[in-house]
Amino acid sequence: MTVLSSYRIGEFLPEVELEPVTRIDLIKYAGASGDYNPIHTIDEEARKLGLRGIIAHGMWTMGNLSKLFSDYYEEGYMREYSVRFKGMVFLHDVITLRAEVVETGIDHARFNVSAINQDEKKVIDGKLTFQFYRH
């Protein structure tokens, strides 16, 4: 495994490809988060709003982006994290998570992060600052 602080501007962390989104993923997330909006779990309710079916919680996708950094938590922590939701994630979508280094410093690194569906459409676009522990 490469040390996070060794990455340079323009380099990407290894991508993470999630398993296809399942109904049970969204039901579990609804229970864990307390977000029981039926557009995330009941097809008929989603269709009433003009959707082709249920959609993943935006925060489910956002939370999954942290998997890009889970191998590096011995080096530091995610200090700042913000995203823009760009598209919907539907049942059976395959989401790929990406992080590009845009700044490096002695005590931190900044990344552009994104979640992209199987059609190469961004569903999340964001920024993340990873703070290195002081030694």
mmCIF file of all heavy atoms in Angstrom, residues 53-95:
data_model
loop_
_atom_site.group_PDB
_atom_site.id
_atom_site.type_symbol
_atom_site.label_atom_id
_atom_site.label_comp_id
_atom_site.label_asym_id
_atom_site.label_seq_id
_atom_site.Cartn_x
_atom_site.Cartn_y
_atom_site.Cartn_z
ATOM 1 N N GLY A 53 -37.880 4.548 -10.637
ATOM 2 C CA GLY A 53 -37.849 3.598 -9.525
ATOM 3 C C GLY A 53 -37.175 4.241 -8.340
ATOM 4 O O GLY A 53 -36.863 5.430 -8.366
ATOM 5 N N ILE A 54 -36.937 3.443 -7.304
ATOM 6 C CA ILE A 54 -36.331 4.006 -6.093
ATOM 7 C C ILE A 54 -34.921 4.511 -6.381
ATOM 8 O O ILE A 54 -34.251 4.037 -7.306
ATOM 9 C CB ILE A 54 -36.321 2.995 -4.931
ATOM 10 C CG1 ILE A 54 -35.482 1.761 -5.244
ATOM 11 C CG2 ILE A 54 -37.736 2.624 -4.534
ATOM 12 C CD1 ILE A 54 -35.297 0.816 -4.068
ATOM 13 N N ILE A 55 -34.518 5.485 -5.584
ATOM 14 C CA ILE A 55 -33.172 6.054 -5.711
ATOM 15 C C ILE A 55 -32.448 5.916 -4.375
ATOM 16 O O ILE A 55 -33.069 5.892 -3.306
ATOM 17 C CB ILE A 55 -33.204 7.534 -6.144
ATOM 18 C CG1 ILE A 55 -33.974 8.391 -5.143
ATOM 19 C CG2 ILE A 55 -33.760 7.674 -7.546
ATOM 20 C CD1 ILE A 55 -33.856 9.896 -5.372
ATOM 21 N N ALA A 56 -31.137 5.826 -4.456
ATOM 22 C CA ALA A 56 -30.313 5.766 -3.254
ATOM 23 C C ALA A 56 -30.334 7.122 -2.550
ATOM 24 O O ALA A 56 -30.459 8.170 -3.192
ATOM 25 C CB ALA A 56 -28.878 5.388 -3.606
ATOM 26 N N HIS A 57 -30.208 7.088 -1.248
ATOM 27 C CA HIS A 57 -30.042 8.310 -0.468
ATOM 28 C C HIS A 57 -28.746 8.989 -0.937
ATOM 29 O O HIS A 57 -27.716 8.321 -1.086
ATOM 30 C CB HIS A 57 -29.882 7.987 1.013
ATOM 31 C CG HIS A 57 -30.967 7.156 1.605
ATOM 32 N ND1 HIS A 57 -31.110 5.812 1.336
ATOM 33 C CD2 HIS A 57 -31.950 7.473 2.473
ATOM 34 C CE1 HIS A 57 -32.133 5.335 2.013
ATOM 35 N NE2 HIS A 57 -32.663 6.326 2.713
ATOM 36 N N GLY A 58 -28.788 10.285 -1.129
ATOM 37 C CA GLY A 58 -27.572 11.002 -1.496
ATOM 38 C C GLY A 58 -26.471 10.807 -0.473
ATOM 39 O O GLY A 58 -25.300 10.652 -0.814
ATOM 40 N N MET A 59 -26.859 10.776 0.800
ATOM 41 C CA MET A 59 -25.868 10.614 1.858
ATOM 42 C C MET A 59 -25.286 9.201 1.870
ATOM 43 O O MET A 59 -24.179 9.001 2.364
ATOM 44 C CB MET A 59 -26.480 10.974 3.212
ATOM 45 C CG MET A 59 -26.918 12.428 3.294
ATOM 46 S SD MET A 59 -25.576 13.599 2.971
ATOM 47 C CE MET A 59 -24.696 13.466 4.501
ATOM 48 N N TRP A 60 -26.011 8.217 1.345
ATOM 49 C CA TRP A 60 -25.467 6.859 1.221
ATOM 50 C C TRP A 60 -24.277 6.903 0.266
ATOM 51 O O TRP A 60 -23.210 6.363 0.546
ATOM 52 C CB TRP A 60 -26.550 5.905 0.702
ATOM 53 C CG TRP A 60 -26.076 4.500 0.460
ATOM 54 C CD1 TRP A 60 -26.002 3.492 1.378
ATOM 55 C CD2 TRP A 60 -25.597 3.951 -0.773
ATOM 56 N NE1 TRP A 60 -25.509 2.350 0.774
ATOM 57 C CE2 TRP A 60 -25.256 2.615 -0.545
ATOM 58 C CE3 TRP A 60 -25.438 4.478 -2.058
ATOM 59 C CZ2 TRP A 60 -24.754 1.776 -1.539
ATOM 60 C CZ3 TRP A 60 -24.934 3.649 -3.058
ATOM 61 C CH2 TRP A 60 -24.604 2.319 -2.785
ATOM 62 N N THR A 61 -24.470 7.574 -0.863
ATOM 63 C CA THR A 61 -23.393 7.684 -1.844
ATOM 64 C C THR A 61 -22.245 8.512 -1.279
ATOM 65 O O THR A 61 -21.073 8.143 -1.392
ATOM 66 C CB THR A 61 -23.914 8.306 -3.154
ATOM 67 O OG1 THR A 61 -25.104 7.619 -3.559
ATOM 68 C CG2 THR A 61 -22.882 8.217 -4.250
ATOM 69 N N MET A 62 -22.568 9.626 -0.641
ATOM 70 C CA MET A 62 -21.545 10.484 -0.057
ATOM 71 C C MET A 62 -20.730 9.722 0.987
ATOM 72 O O MET A 62 -19.507 9.807 1.014
ATOM 73 C CB MET A 62 -22.189 11.717 0.575
ATOM 74 C CG MET A 62 -21.209 12.696 1.154
ATOM 75 S SD MET A 62 -22.084 14.096 1.909
ATOM 76 C CE MET A 62 -20.714 15.023 2.555
ATOM 77 N N GLY A 63 -21.405 8.980 1.829
ATOM 78 C CA GLY A 63 -20.713 8.198 2.857
ATOM 79 C C GLY A 63 -19.782 7.161 2.264
ATOM 80 O O GLY A 63 -18.685 6.910 2.783
ATOM 81 N N ASN A 64 -20.207 6.552 1.172
ATOM 82 C CA ASN A 64 -19.364 5.548 0.531
ATOM 83 C C ASN A 64 -18.061 6.127 0.010
ATOM 84 O O ASN A 64 -17.053 5.427 -0.069
ATOM 85 C CB ASN A 64 -20.129 4.846 -0.596
ATOM 86 C CG ASN A 64 -20.897 3.651 -0.095
ATOM 87 O OD1 ASN A 64 -20.310 2.696 0.413
ATOM 88 N ND2 ASN A 64 -22.208 3.695 -0.218
ATOM 89 N N LEU A 65 -18.044 7.411 -0.339
ATOM 90 C CA LEU A 65 -16.807 8.031 -0.824
ATOM 91 C C LEU A 65 -15.676 7.939 0.201
ATOM 92 O O LEU A 65 -14.508 7.909 -0.164
ATOM 93 C CB LEU A 65 -17.046 9.485 -1.212
ATOM 94 C CG LEU A 65 -17.491 9.719 -2.648
ATOM 95 C CD1 LEU A 65 -18.045 11.113 -2.826
ATOM 96 C CD2 LEU A 65 -16.366 9.460 -3.631
ATOM 97 N N SER A 66 -16.022 7.855 1.468
ATOM 98 C CA SER A 66 -14.982 7.756 2.494
ATOM 99 C C SER A 66 -14.188 6.458 2.371
ATOM 100 O O SER A 66 -13.070 6.362 2.891
ATOM 101 C CB SER A 66 -15.592 7.888 3.890
ATOM 102 O OG SER A 66 -16.405 6.767 4.173
ATOM 103 N N LYS A 67 -14.724 5.466 1.655
ATOM 104 C CA LYS A 67 -13.993 4.208 1.455
ATOM 105 C C LYS A 67 -12.678 4.426 0.711
ATOM 106 O O LYS A 67 -11.749 3.634 0.831
ATOM 107 C CB LYS A 67 -14.858 3.203 0.694
ATOM 108 C CG LYS A 67 -16.016 2.700 1.501
ATOM 109 C CD LYS A 67 -16.882 1.748 0.700
ATOM 110 C CE LYS A 67 -18.027 1.262 1.567
ATOM 111 N NZ LYS A 67 -18.906 0.339 0.847
ATOM 112 N N LEU A 68 -12.588 5.505 -0.045
ATOM 113 C CA LEU A 68 -11.347 5.817 -0.743
ATOM 114 C C LEU A 68 -10.194 6.059 0.233
ATOM 115 O O LEU A 68 -9.028 5.904 -0.124
ATOM 116 C CB LEU A 68 -11.528 7.062 -1.615
ATOM 117 C CG LEU A 68 -12.376 6.894 -2.860
ATOM 118 C CD1 LEU A 68 -12.833 8.247 -3.382
ATOM 119 C CD2 LEU A 68 -11.589 6.127 -3.928
ATOM 120 N N PHE A 69 -10.528 6.453 1.456
ATOM 121 C CA PHE A 69 -9.507 6.864 2.422
ATOM 122 C C PHE A 69 -9.337 5.891 3.582
ATOM 123 O O PHE A 69 -8.489 6.090 4.439
ATOM 124 C CB PHE A 69 -9.843 8.274 2.946
ATOM 125 C CG PHE A 69 -9.827 9.284 1.843
ATOM 126 C CD1 PHE A 69 -10.973 9.565 1.116
ATOM 127 C CD2 PHE A 69 -8.650 9.909 1.473
ATOM 128 C CE1 PHE A 69 -10.962 10.460 0.056
ATOM 129 C CE2 PHE A 69 -8.617 10.803 0.412
ATOM 130 C CZ PHE A 69 -9.773 11.078 -0.298
ATOM 131 N N SER A 70 -10.112 4.827 3.608
ATOM 132 C CA SER A 70 -10.097 3.928 4.774
ATOM 133 C C SER A 70 -8.746 3.240 4.980
ATOM 134 O O SER A 70 -8.400 2.908 6.107
ATOM 135 C CB SER A 70 -11.229 2.901 4.702
ATOM 136 O OG SER A 70 -11.121 2.127 3.537
ATOM 137 N N ASP A 71 -7.962 3.055 3.926
ATOM 138 C CA ASP A 71 -6.635 2.442 4.095
ATOM 139 C C ASP A 71 -5.619 3.411 4.694
ATOM 140 O O ASP A 71 -4.501 3.000 5.007
ATOM 141 C CB ASP A 71 -6.096 1.952 2.749
ATOM 142 C CG ASP A 71 -6.799 0.702 2.253
ATOM 143 O OD1 ASP A 71 -7.431 0.003 3.071
ATOM 144 O OD2 ASP A 71 -6.716 0.424 1.042
ATOM 145 N N TYR A 72 -5.985 4.658 4.837
ATOM 146 C CA TYR A 72 -5.018 5.679 5.248
ATOM 147 C C TYR A 72 -5.288 6.275 6.629
ATOM 148 O O TYR A 72 -4.640 7.246 7.019
ATOM 149 C CB TYR A 72 -4.983 6.805 4.202
ATOM 150 C CG TYR A 72 -4.755 6.287 2.802
ATOM 151 C CD1 TYR A 72 -5.799 6.244 1.884
ATOM 152 C CD2 TYR A 72 -3.510 5.808 2.413
ATOM 153 C CE1 TYR A 72 -5.595 5.753 0.600
ATOM 154 C CE2 TYR A 72 -3.302 5.311 1.132
ATOM 155 C CZ TYR A 72 -4.342 5.279 0.235
ATOM 156 O OH TYR A 72 -4.150 4.786 -1.031
ATOM 157 N N TYR A 73 -6.233 5.712 7.373
ATOM 158 C CA TYR A 73 -6.595 6.317 8.653
ATOM 159 C C TYR A 73 -5.504 6.219 9.713
ATOM 160 O O TYR A 73 -5.555 6.913 10.711
ATOM 161 C CB TYR A 73 -7.928 5.771 9.180
ATOM 162 C CG TYR A 73 -9.104 6.234 8.346
ATOM 163 C CD1 TYR A 73 -10.134 5.371 8.024
ATOM 164 C CD2 TYR A 73 -9.180 7.534 7.867
ATOM 165 C CE1 TYR A 73 -11.205 5.793 7.247
ATOM 166 C CE2 TYR A 73 -10.239 7.959 7.089
ATOM 167 C CZ TYR A 73 -11.240 7.078 6.783
ATOM 168 O OH TYR A 73 -12.297 7.497 6.014
ATOM 169 N N GLU A 74 -4.482 5.397 9.505
ATOM 170 C CA GLU A 74 -3.343 5.400 10.423
ATOM 171 C C GLU A 74 -2.482 6.636 10.205
ATOM 172 O O GLU A 74 -1.707 7.006 11.075
ATOM 173 C CB GLU A 74 -2.511 4.136 10.245
ATOM 174 C CG GLU A 74 -3.226 2.900 10.776
ATOM 175 C CD GLU A 74 -2.373 1.650 10.704
ATOM 176 O OE1 GLU A 74 -1.158 1.765 10.437
ATOM 177 O OE2 GLU A 74 -2.938 0.576 10.922
ATOM 178 N N GLU A 75 -2.632 7.286 9.048
ATOM 179 C CA GLU A 75 -1.853 8.482 8.720
ATOM 180 C C GLU A 75 -2.566 9.782 9.086
ATOM 181 O O GLU A 75 -1.930 10.822 9.216
ATOM 182 C CB GLU A 75 -1.568 8.535 7.217
ATOM 183 C CG GLU A 75 -0.702 7.431 6.705
ATOM 184 C CD GLU A 75 -0.522 7.546 5.207
ATOM 185 O OE1 GLU A 75 -0.054 8.603 4.732
ATOM 186 O OE2 GLU A 75 -0.866 6.579 4.515
ATOM 187 N N GLY A 76 -3.897 9.725 9.187
ATOM 188 C CA GLY A 76 -4.637 10.951 9.458
ATOM 189 C C GLY A 76 -6.128 10.728 9.364
ATOM 190 O O GLY A 76 -6.611 9.602 9.532
ATOM 191 N N TYR A 77 -6.857 11.802 9.073
ATOM 192 C CA TYR A 77 -8.318 11.739 9.074
ATOM 193 C C TYR A 77 -8.876 12.737 8.061
ATOM 194 O O TYR A 77 -8.197 13.674 7.633
ATOM 195 C CB TYR A 77 -8.867 12.045 10.468
ATOM 196 C CG TYR A 77 -8.419 13.386 11.014
ATOM 197 C CD1 TYR A 77 -9.215 14.520 10.861
ATOM 198 C CD2 TYR A 77 -7.197 13.527 11.668
ATOM 199 C CE1 TYR A 77 -8.805 15.754 11.339
ATOM 200 C CE2 TYR A 77 -6.778 14.757 12.156
ATOM 201 C CZ TYR A 77 -7.583 15.866 11.986
ATOM 202 O OH TYR A 77 -7.170 17.085 12.449
ATOM 203 N N MET A 78 -10.127 12.503 7.681
ATOM 204 C CA MET A 78 -10.824 13.423 6.784
ATOM 205 C C MET A 78 -11.240 14.648 7.602
ATOM 206 O O MET A 78 -12.051 14.529 8.501
ATOM 207 C CB MET A 78 -12.051 12.724 6.181
ATOM 208 C CG MET A 78 -11.700 11.574 5.283
ATOM 209 S SD MET A 78 -13.082 10.507 4.784
ATOM 210 C CE MET A 78 -14.452 11.605 4.647
ATOM 211 N N ARG A 79 -10.675 15.793 7.290
ATOM 212 C CA ARG A 79 -10.947 17.002 8.074
ATOM 213 C C ARG A 79 -12.098 17.806 7.508
ATOM 214 O O ARG A 79 -12.963 18.273 8.250
ATOM 215 C CB ARG A 79 -9.692 17.881 8.139
ATOM 216 C CG ARG A 79 -9.874 19.076 9.072
ATOM 217 C CD ARG A 79 -8.659 19.954 9.113
ATOM 218 N NE ARG A 79 -8.610 20.745 7.883
ATOM 219 C CZ ARG A 79 -7.515 21.286 7.371
ATOM 220 N NH1 ARG A 79 -6.358 21.097 7.951
ATOM 221 N NH2 ARG A 79 -7.568 21.991 6.273
ATOM 222 N N GLU A 80 -12.111 18.018 6.216
ATOM 223 C CA GLU A 80 -13.172 18.788 5.566
ATOM 224 C C GLU A 80 -13.665 17.991 4.374
ATOM 225 O O GLU A 80 -12.868 17.360 3.666
ATOM 226 C CB GLU A 80 -12.645 20.142 5.083
ATOM 227 C CG GLU A 80 -12.209 21.059 6.195
ATOM 228 C CD GLU A 80 -11.558 22.332 5.675
ATOM 229 O OE1 GLU A 80 -11.587 22.585 4.448
ATOM 230 O OE2 GLU A 80 -11.012 23.072 6.496
ATOM 231 N N TYR A 81 -14.980 18.047 4.159
ATOM 232 C CA TYR A 81 -15.562 17.224 3.103
ATOM 233 C C TYR A 81 -16.850 17.892 2.662
ATOM 234 O O TYR A 81 -17.730 18.152 3.467
ATOM 235 C CB TYR A 81 -15.821 15.846 3.691
ATOM 236 C CG TYR A 81 -16.397 14.803 2.785
ATOM 237 C CD1 TYR A 81 -16.204 14.802 1.416
ATOM 238 C CD2 TYR A 81 -17.144 13.763 3.321
ATOM 239 C CE1 TYR A 81 -16.725 13.816 0.611
ATOM 240 C CE2 TYR A 81 -17.666 12.765 2.539
ATOM 241 C CZ TYR A 81 -17.451 12.793 1.177
ATOM 242 O OH TYR A 81 -17.972 11.812 0.388
ATOM 243 N N SER A 82 -16.936 18.216 1.382
ATOM 244 C CA SER A 82 -18.161 18.805 0.858
ATOM 245 C C SER A 82 -18.422 18.233 -0.529
ATOM 246 O O SER A 82 -17.485 17.900 -1.259
ATOM 247 C CB SER A 82 -18.058 20.329 0.791
ATOM 248 O OG SER A 82 -17.039 20.715 -0.118
ATOM 249 N N VAL A 83 -19.699 18.105 -0.849
ATOM 250 C CA VAL A 83 -20.061 17.551 -2.155
ATOM 251 C C VAL A 83 -21.228 18.319 -2.753
ATOM 252 O O VAL A 83 -21.957 19.022 -2.058
ATOM 253 C CB VAL A 83 -20.447 16.047 -2.080
ATOM 254 C CG1 VAL A 83 -19.318 15.213 -1.537
ATOM 255 C CG2 VAL A 83 -21.717 15.836 -1.310
ATOM 256 N N ARG A 84 -21.389 18.130 -4.054
ATOM 257 C CA ARG A 84 -22.583 18.553 -4.784
ATOM 258 C C ARG A 84 -23.173 17.296 -5.385
ATOM 259 O O ARG A 84 -22.462 16.492 -6.000
ATOM 260 C CB ARG A 84 -22.239 19.542 -5.899
ATOM 261 C CG ARG A 84 -21.887 20.907 -5.382
ATOM 262 C CD ARG A 84 -21.764 21.879 -6.565
ATOM 263 N NE ARG A 84 -21.823 23.219 -6.063
ATOM 264 C CZ ARG A 84 -22.928 23.968 -6.043
ATOM 265 N NH1 ARG A 84 -24.055 23.513 -6.505
ATOM 266 N NH2 ARG A 84 -22.894 25.188 -5.557
ATOM 267 N N PHE A 85 -24.456 17.138 -5.197
ATOM 268 C CA PHE A 85 -25.155 16.005 -5.786
ATOM 269 C C PHE A 85 -25.477 16.358 -7.234
ATOM 270 O O PHE A 85 -26.135 17.353 -7.501
ATOM 271 C CB PHE A 85 -26.413 15.673 -4.979
ATOM 272 C CG PHE A 85 -26.092 15.305 -3.562
ATOM 273 C CD1 PHE A 85 -26.302 16.192 -2.527
ATOM 274 C CD2 PHE A 85 -25.548 14.062 -3.267
ATOM 275 C CE1 PHE A 85 -25.987 15.865 -1.222
ATOM 276 C CE2 PHE A 85 -25.227 13.711 -1.956
ATOM 277 C CZ PHE A 85 -25.441 14.618 -0.936
ATOM 278 N N LYS A 86 -24.992 15.547 -8.170
ATOM 279 C CA LYS A 86 -25.097 15.851 -9.597
ATOM 280 C C LYS A 86 -26.108 14.975 -10.323
ATOM 281 O O LYS A 86 -26.517 15.294 -11.435
ATOM 282 C CB LYS A 86 -23.736 15.666 -10.271
ATOM 283 C CG LYS A 86 -22.594 16.419 -9.611
ATOM 284 C CD LYS A 86 -22.690 17.878 -9.790
ATOM 285 C CE LYS A 86 -22.062 18.285 -11.079
ATOM 286 N NZ LYS A 86 -22.074 19.705 -11.325
ATOM 287 N N GLY A 87 -26.462 13.848 -9.739
ATOM 288 C CA GLY A 87 -27.375 12.932 -10.396
ATOM 289 C C GLY A 87 -27.880 11.894 -9.407
ATOM 290 O O GLY A 87 -27.384 11.793 -8.293
ATOM 291 N N MET A 88 -28.861 11.136 -9.840
ATOM 292 C CA MET A 88 -29.470 10.132 -8.969
ATOM 293 C C MET A 88 -28.807 8.776 -9.160
ATOM 294 O O MET A 88 -28.338 8.446 -10.248
ATOM 295 C CB MET A 88 -30.956 10.018 -9.271
ATOM 296 C CG MET A 88 -31.728 11.256 -8.892
ATOM 297 S SD MET A 88 -33.471 11.021 -9.262
ATOM 298 C CE MET A 88 -33.852 12.614 -9.937
ATOM 299 N N VAL A 89 -28.805 8.009 -8.079
ATOM 300 C CA VAL A 89 -28.303 6.635 -8.099
ATOM 301 C C VAL A 89 -29.517 5.724 -7.973
ATOM 302 O O VAL A 89 -30.265 5.811 -7.000
ATOM 303 C CB VAL A 89 -27.311 6.388 -6.946
ATOM 304 C CG1 VAL A 89 -26.900 4.925 -6.900
ATOM 305 C CG2 VAL A 89 -26.095 7.301 -7.089
ATOM 306 N N PHE A 90 -29.691 4.869 -8.975
ATOM 307 C CA PHE A 90 -30.836 3.968 -9.017
ATOM 308 C C PHE A 90 -30.439 2.556 -8.623
ATOM 309 O O PHE A 90 -29.252 2.204 -8.606
ATOM 310 C CB PHE A 90 -31.447 3.964 -10.427
ATOM 311 C CG PHE A 90 -32.115 5.253 -10.793
ATOM 312 C CD1 PHE A 90 -31.414 6.261 -11.428
ATOM 313 C CD2 PHE A 90 -33.451 5.463 -10.487
ATOM 314 C CE1 PHE A 90 -32.031 7.461 -11.756
ATOM 315 C CE2 PHE A 90 -34.072 6.660 -10.813
ATOM 316 C CZ PHE A 90 -33.364 7.657 -11.447
ATOM 317 N N LEU A 91 -31.436 1.760 -8.331
ATOM 318 C CA LEU A 91 -31.250 0.345 -8.044
ATOM 319 C C LEU A 91 -30.413 -0.289 -9.160
ATOM 320 O O LEU A 91 -30.620 0.025 -10.338
ATOM 321 C CB LEU A 91 -32.627 -0.311 -7.996
ATOM 322 C CG LEU A 91 -32.863 -1.437 -7.008
ATOM 323 C CD1 LEU A 91 -32.463 -1.074 -5.600
ATOM 324 C CD2 LEU A 91 -34.320 -1.857 -7.054
ATOM 325 N N HIS A 92 -29.465 -1.101 -8.788
ATOM 326 C CA HIS A 92 -28.584 -1.851 -9.695
ATOM 327 C C HIS A 92 -27.484 -1.010 -10.327
ATOM 328 O O HIS A 92 -26.662 -1.553 -11.082
ATOM 329 C CB HIS A 92 -29.369 -2.586 -10.792
ATOM 330 C CG HIS A 92 -30.510 -3.389 -10.267
ATOM 331 N ND1 HIS A 92 -30.338 -4.454 -9.413
ATOM 332 C CD2 HIS A 92 -31.836 -3.264 -10.441
ATOM 333 C CE1 HIS A 92 -31.517 -4.957 -9.095
ATOM 334 N NE2 HIS A 92 -32.449 -4.240 -9.698
ATOM 335 N N ASP A 93 -27.429 0.295 -10.061
ATOM 336 C CA ASP A 93 -26.317 1.095 -10.568
ATOM 337 C C ASP A 93 -25.017 0.599 -9.940
ATOM 338 O O ASP A 93 -24.989 0.150 -8.790
ATOM 339 C CB ASP A 93 -26.486 2.581 -10.232
ATOM 340 C CG ASP A 93 -27.406 3.318 -11.190
ATOM 341 O OD1 ASP A 93 -27.897 2.705 -12.156
ATOM 342 O OD2 ASP A 93 -27.630 4.528 -10.958
ATOM 343 N N VAL A 94 -23.946 0.702 -10.712
ATOM 344 C CA VAL A 94 -22.601 0.378 -10.222
ATOM 345 C C VAL A 94 -21.848 1.700 -10.130
ATOM 346 O O VAL A 94 -21.665 2.389 -11.139
ATOM 347 C CB VAL A 94 -21.871 -0.595 -11.170
ATOM 348 C CG1 VAL A 94 -20.438 -0.829 -10.696
ATOM 349 C CG2 VAL A 94 -22.638 -1.909 -11.260
ATOM 350 N N ILE A 95 -21.454 2.051 -8.931
ATOM 351 C CA ILE A 95 -20.823 3.340 -8.669
ATOM 352 C C ILE A 95 -19.324 3.152 -8.472
ATOM 353 O O ILE A 95 -18.888 2.285 -7.719
ATOM 354 C CB ILE A 95 -21.442 4.002 -7.421
ATOM 355 C CG1 ILE A 95 -22.957 4.181 -7.587
ATOM 356 C CG2 ILE A 95 -20.755 5.334 -7.105
ATOM 357 C CD1 ILE A 95 -23.372 5.026 -8.773
#
